[in-house]
């Protein structure tokens, strides 16, 4: 990983990278070890078209970061992916976050404003990570609360290596 200078543009890139690491940490916790059948859990069995399942939400998060990477490269490409099996979708989640992070860490130009990347795909992804965490609670499989201010969130960490230690509440 190369070191970036502290110009305003690079400071914005560093903040985006920290935000991606935060999504990886919080999202990784929300999607890890779900109960059987959680991927298809639906809070509105009467009208499944009104709500997304956790698998659909996770696929959408992958699409958001794929879109963010394309925009960072100056392309406008949106894909609406059908959800994969949970394990595959979890792998995709980590891959797309890492790919976007690697682009931000590179010397390649950022072809979209950092603020727009944050307010669009990244902020949307944070919302959806919260939805998955909420659906876990509704499905009687809550994740432990945590003091995220004290969390060891490190840029460039993805998947199971996001943190060896957590400051969770009992």
């Amino acid at each position: 990983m190369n070191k970036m200078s502290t110009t305003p543009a690079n400071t914005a890139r560093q903040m985006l990278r920290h935000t991606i690491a935060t999504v990886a940490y919080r999202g990784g916790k929300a999607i890890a070890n779900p109960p059987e059948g959680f991927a298809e859990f639906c809070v509105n069995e009467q009208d499944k078209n009104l709500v997304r399942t956790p698998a659909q939400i996770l696929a959408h998060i992958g699409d958001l970061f794929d879109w963010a990477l394309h925009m960072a490269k100056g392309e406008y490409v949106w894909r609406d992916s059908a959800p994969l099996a949970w394990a595959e979708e979890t792998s995709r989640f980590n891959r797309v976050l890492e790919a976007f992070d690697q682009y931000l860490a590179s010397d390649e130009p950022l072809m979209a404003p950092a603020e727009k990347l944050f307010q669009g795909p990244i902020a949307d992804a944070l919302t959806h990570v919260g939805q998955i965490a909420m659906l876990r609670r509704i499905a009687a499989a809550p994740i432990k609360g945590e003091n995220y201010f004290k969390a060891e969130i490190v840029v460039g960490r993805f998947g199971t290596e996001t943190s060896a230690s957590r400051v969770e509440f009992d």
Side-chain angles (χ1 to χ4, degrees), residues 107-152:
D107 293 327
E108 295 296 320
L110 193 57
M111 302 303 290
E115 297 82 2
K116 295 289 187 178
L117 291 169
F118 177 80
Q119 78 185 34
I122 297 172
D124 198 22
L126 283 165
T127 297
H128 294 307
V129 164
Q131 288 174 328
I132 292 172
M134 181 186 67
L135 288 171
R136 294 248 344 213
R137 183 169 292 280
I138 294 169
I143 58 173
K144 282 190 168 190
E146 181 170 352
N147 182 339
Y148 289 106
F149 183 82
K150 292 183 178 182
E152 181 190 5

Side-chain angles (χ1 to χ4, degrees), residues 7-127:
T7 65
N10 284 336
T11 300
R13 284 174 93 128
Q14 289 170 337
M15 187 62 176
L16 288 177
R17 292 189 70 208
H18 185 77
T19 305
I20 292 164
T22 301
V23 172
Y25 185 93
R26 287 178 168 233
K29 182 174 179 173
I31 65 178
N33 306 311
E36 187 160 332
F38 177 70
E40 289 77 34
F41 178 73
C42 186
V43 294
N44 188 348
E45 289 293 331
Q46 287 73 33
D47 194 348
K48 292 184 178 189
N49 293 326
L50 291 178
V51 295
R52 290 180 175 152
T53 65
Q56 290 169 322
I57 295 169
L58 190 53
H60 181 63
I61 293 171
D63 292 341
L64 288 168
F65 279 101
D66 186 49
W67 180 47
L69 178 57
H70 281 290
M71 286 192 296
K73 293 178 177 181
E75 308 161 348
Y76 191 93
V77 176
W78 174 258
R79 292 185 185 98
D80 194 10
S81 302
L84 304 169
W86 192 260
E88 292 173 72
E89 206 60 69
T90 297
S91 293
R92 178 177 178 236
F93 170 80
N94 290 305
R95 278 194 319 274
V96 296
L97 287 172
E98 186 170 8
F100 186 40
D101 179 70
Q102 286 176 349
Y103 187 83
L104 292 172
S106 77
D107 293 327
E108 295 296 320
L110 193 57
M111 302 303 290
E115 297 82 2
K116 295 289 187 178
L117 291 169
F118 177 80
Q119 78 185 34
I122 297 172
D124 198 22
L126 283 165
T127 297

